[in-house]
Amino acid sequence: GTIVKQEVAYMEKIVAFNRKLIAAFRAAGVPILAGTDAQVPGVVPGASLPDELEALVAAGLTPKEALDSATRLPNVWLGSEHQRGVIAAGARADMVLLDADPLKNISAVRQIHAVVLAGRVIGRAELEKKVAALKARTAGRASVEGAILAGLVD
């Protein structure tokens, strides 16, 4: 009833504020890092990353900037940019292979074909099995995309 409507209105205000904040940070040149792995009650680490990337694009980031926020930029901040978050000789051989181009539509991050983890290719069928086990541990809130992007599938 009324309480739910108030909660929805409150959350809508937070989303609107966050969009303005992201736009202001972007305009000021502040690096924006994805953060769905934060310890937030009810959020399975990584499971909401596709939603977050879509929200960043809705807030004004380009798809490339949104992808950088979850890949390259965190590694720059951690000082591991030569080993992770890049495709380069000598870097870790970890990557997600998609069935569509996320630079054209960020929602393509949901269309995972396979994962290369430490040089080993993990196909969609194996990923589905791993996520089924993860769903059993997370009350069904895991997805292949979120689990992979959070590094929970190994």
Side-chain angles (χ1 to χ4, degrees):
T2 302
I3 293 175
V4 172
K5 288 179 184 177
Q6 290 173 342
E7 289 175 1
V8 169
Y10 177 72
M11 293 305 292
E12 287 173 345
K13 286 181 183 179
I14 290 173
V15 168
F17 174 79
N18 286 340
R19 282 188 176 163
K20 290 178 184 176
L21 190 61
I22 293 296
F25 283 173
R26 181 177 184 253
V30 174
I32 298 167
L33 308 181
T36 60
D37 59 343
Q39 297 300 312
V40 177
V43 175
V44 177
S48 60
L49 186 55
D51 294 336
E52 182 174 2
L53 295 176
E54 290 167 347
L56 288 171
V57 170
L61 270 64
T62 66
K64 182 179 184 325
E65 290 169 331
L67 290 169
D68 282 348
S69 79
T71 56
R72 187 181 63 77
L73 291 176
N75 289 293
V76 169
W77 188 82
L78 292 169
S80 58
E81 68 269 24
H82 301 294
Q83 290 298 313
R84 297 176 183 265
V86 296
I87 299 174
R92 283 184 54 111
D94 298 344
M95 70 181 79
V96 178
L97 304 174
L98 303 173
D99 286 326
D101 184 354
L103 296 176
K104 292 182 181 173
N105 183 340
I106 196 64
S107 294
V109 298
R110 298 179 184 277
Q111 299 176 37
I112 295 175
H113 181 79
V115 171
V116 179
L117 186 61
R120 179 176 158 256
V121 177
I122 304 169
R124 183 72 187 200
E126 185 178 347
L127 294 171
E128 293 285 355
K129 287 180 190 175
K130 289 178 179 287
V131 169
L134 182 61
K135 279 185 178 186
R137 295 190 333 247
T138 61
R141 292 197 302 236
S143 67
V144 170
E145 294 73 20
I148 291 165
L149 295 170
L152 297 176
V153 174
D154 57 23

